Amino acid sequence: MKLEIITPEQIYFSGKVTSVTLPGSIGLFTVWENHAPLISSLKEGKISFTANSKETELNIESGFAEVSHNVVTVCLESIKA
């Protein structure tokens, strides 16, 4: 599936991943291939995703995520250093 992570300043990541774990406003959730469509607000926490057998983690403040047709779009206000 494809993951796109976007901030107002840049496209932070765009590529194929095997899974994405997101800090939803009511708890963590993981998205896999062929996941049902959804939209969720995101709270402060960590996003983790696996691409090319490598796991990456990002600290975020807030945003939202949309899952549709094997595309996960994550819009964030910022990514913490």
Side-chain angles (χ1 to χ4, degrees), residues 14-70:
S14 181
K16 293 189 75 100
V17 298
T18 54
S19 67
V20 175
T21 300
L22 301 159
S25 55
I26 59 172
L28 285 175
F29 65 96
T30 301
V31 178
W32 298 90
E33 188 88 18
N34 298 316
H35 196 283
L38 69 83
I39 296 175
S40 176
S41 57
L42 302 175
K43 65 179 183 178
E44 185 173 353
K46 290 186 182 197
I47 292 177
S48 62
F49 59 92
T50 304
N52 298 321
S53 300
K54 180 185 173 200
E55 186 167 323
T56 302
E57 286 189 349
L58 304 173
N59 292 310
I60 67 161
E61 289 186 26
S62 65
F64 70 90
E66 176 186 26
V67 179
S68 182
H69 303 289
N70 284 322

